[in-house]
Amino acid sequence: MNRTEIIARRILGWKLNRWDRWYDFEKDTFIPVSDFEPEHNLDHAMVIVERLEKLGFTYKTNGVSEVCFNDVCETGETLTEAITNAAFSIADNSSVPDEWL
């Protein structure tokens, strides 16, 4: 699984409906995998921010290259990369065995 998949599954709660699209149960909508690029699209990254805020995280930025969600801070070359990096850190890929995915 790549970083975007981990964020989509563990933070946004999306399910992979087919190999090429996600299903968002809350909005009852399909999202093509190729249409969700939070590392490159600020609107997509802000979907992650909104979801984490709903989950109780506080979002802060320090310029355009550092983002913090509570005490989890990450950097990136752009704001979108920093958001994605911080969200990935929260998703904590290492705590789930590969055979569960």
Side-chain angles (χ1 to χ4, degrees), residues 1-2 4-9 13-24 29-36:
M1 248 194 300
N2 66 33
T4 303
E5 287 181 80
I6 290 167
I7 292 167
R9 289 177 190 234
W14 295 352
K15 304 294 180 203
L16 197 58
N17 177 261
R18 287 190 334 205
W19 65 271
D20 64 342
R21 69 179 181 194
W22 295 103
Y23 181 67
D24 181 348
T29 189
F30 293 99
I31 302 104
V33 168
S34 61
D35 287 354
F36 184 63

Side-chain angles (χ1 to χ4, degrees), residues 33-50:
V33 168
S34 61
D35 287 354
F36 184 63
E37 297 181 327
E39 289 184 348
H40 306 292
N41 185 309
L42 186 58
D43 291 335
H44 297 175
M46 293 309 291
V47 168
I48 297 167
V49 170
E50 290 170 12

Side-chain angles (χ1 to χ4, degrees), residues 48-90:
I48 297 167
V49 170
E50 290 170 12
R51 179 63 174 183
L52 286 171
E53 287 180 330
K54 284 182 184 177
L55 294 172
F57 287 88
T58 301
Y59 168 71
K60 294 186 295 186
T61 62
N62 185 10
V64 295
S65 63
E66 183 178 12
V67 166
C68 295
F69 291 104
N70 293 353
D71 60 344
V72 177
C73 298
E74 292 290 341
T75 60
E77 290 185 25
T78 63
L79 181 60
T80 57
E81 284 183 16
I83 290 169
T84 304
N85 291 341
F88 180 74
S89 291
I90 291 169

